[in-house]
Amino acid sequence: MNPEQIYPRKGKNNTESVYLKSVITDPSIIVGDFTFYNDFVNDPRDFEKNNVLYHYPLCNNERLVIGKYCSIACGAKFMFTGGNHTMKSISTYPFPIFPDEWGLDEWKCGQAWDNHGDIIIGNDVWIGYEAVIMQGVTIGDGAIIGTRALVTKDVPPYTIVGGSPAKVIRKRFDDETIKKLLEIKWWNWPSDKVKDNLQNIMNGVISE
Ligand SMILES: CC(C)(COP(=O)(O)OP(=O)(O)OC[C@H]1O[C@@H](n2cnc3c(N)ncnc32)[C@H](O)[C@@H]1OP(=O)(O)O)[C@@H](O)C(=O)NCCC(=O)NCCS
């Protein structure tokens, strides 16, 4: 296991999936080990450009934080502040981003938008095909985001959501099991320990 490499898969179609951490250049996007992004339409190395939308951290100081061992499907998108024209103004027209046109002598681009803050994705989260995560949303460890979900609110750990706006479909496990999993936090183990326990993880056996 080498989370520092770009392509985790050898052989056929090996360039469709990337370890996201290895292709990110923007310091305001933070991604944990082994989280991968798959894209069969665009080059997955262009995730920052194609999937992290309206993200101008120099104006808005916002972050995308994604944990470890997440699976992000083709076309999933993360919508940031620059897509939220301010509703505090009389007009939603973003005058501050055209300062020369309107004689605004200071570059205060952040005034054009309402900022709802960071998007935080936990560990072992699976984000389905073309799902859209809105700014300010936190998704808990072990959650699943269904195909084409529009996620506008926080998602608790180990919860499956779907639809537009996304609603809870069900929990993945009973409350006791979820509690145990959140205590174990297997994703923080050294990768050798994950490998040693892989059969248990893959077969749903909960013991350390
Ligand atoms: C959300 C998901 C995990 C649910 O799986 P599941 O529990 O086996 O799904 P089921 O078919 O049993 O459906 C359960 C309910 O959720 C609904 N549902 C399923 N997928 C949904 C989705 N993407 N959006 C909205 N509702 C969905 C079903 O209509 C059903 O509703 P009901 O209980 O009112 O009848 C799955 O449908 C999904 O979207 N997976 C992501 C697939 C993907 O995008 N993969 C990309 C490659 S990694």
Side-chain angles (χ1 to χ4, degrees):
M1 307 81 73
N2 173 14
E4 310 303 325
Q5 65 188 329
I6 293 182
Y7 299 112
R9 193 149 98 179
K10 309 284 177 278
K12 200 166 166 255
N13 296 334
N14 65 348
T15 55
E16 281 186 2
S17 293
V18 293
Y19 279 149
L20 207 42
K21 187 179 107 164
S22 305
V23 301
I24 294 297
T25 58
D26 181 338
S28 68
I29 303 177
I30 299 143
V31 182
D33 287 350
F34 298 107
T35 284
F36 79 98
Y37 173 59
N38 173 270
D39 199 318
F40 48 84
V41 179
N42 296 305
D43 188 330
R45 292 173 300 178
D46 292 335
F47 175 86
E48 277 173 324
K49 174 171 159 270
N50 295 331
N51 303 73
V52 186
L53 307 184
Y54 304 101
H55 182 236
Y56 311 124
L58 291 179
C59 280
N60 300 311
N61 196 28
E62 69 219 322
R63 299 176 311 155
L64 172 59
V65 181
I66 305 177
K68 301 173 193 168
Y69 296 95
C70 292
S71 311
I72 305 178
C74 186
K77 304 269 191 318
F78 302 85
M79 285 279 292
F80 275 98
T81 305
N84 263 3
H85 291 208
T86 184
M87 291 186 279
K88 293 183 191 118
S89 161
I90 295 286
S91 168
T92 56
Y93 192 84
F95 295 103
I97 69 170
F98 305 119
D100 299 332
E101 283 284 273
W102 299 99
L104 299 169
D105 47 23
E106 268 191 281
W107 174 240
K108 286 189 181 163
C109 51
Q111 280 183 351
W113 305 298
D114 292 339
N115 188 340
H116 298 295
D118 300 341
I119 295 176
I120 311 280
I121 313 293
N123 304 281
D124 190 16
V125 173
W126 172 27
I127 300 181
Y129 176 76
E130 291 191 345
V132 175
I133 319 294
M134 297 301 284
Q135 63 163 204
V137 162
T138 294
I139 297 178
D141 298 324
I144 297 175
I145 311 303
T147 303
R148 290 202 161 155
L150 175 60
V151 185
T152 58
K153 293 201 165 80
D154 292 355
V155 178
Y158 288 100
T159 302
I160 304 173
V161 299
S164 176
K167 303 278 184 215
V168 172
I169 294 175
R170 65 166 185 280
K171 296 267 183 189
R172 289 185 56 202
F173 305 107
D174 60 54
D175 288 349
E176 187 60 25
T177 306
I178 291 175
K179 190 164 169 266
K180 266 191 215 155
L181 287 168
L182 294 174
E183 279 162 16
I184 293 172
K185 294 187 192 297
W186 64 265
W187 44 84
N188 287 337
W189 293 348
S191 50
D192 280 337
K193 184 171 174 184
V194 174
K195 194 174 184 182
D196 289 346
N197 286 274
L198 206 51
Q199 290 309 317
N200 285 345
I201 292 172
M202 289 169 56
N203 294 324
V205 177
I206 300 177
S207 64
E208 215 174 328

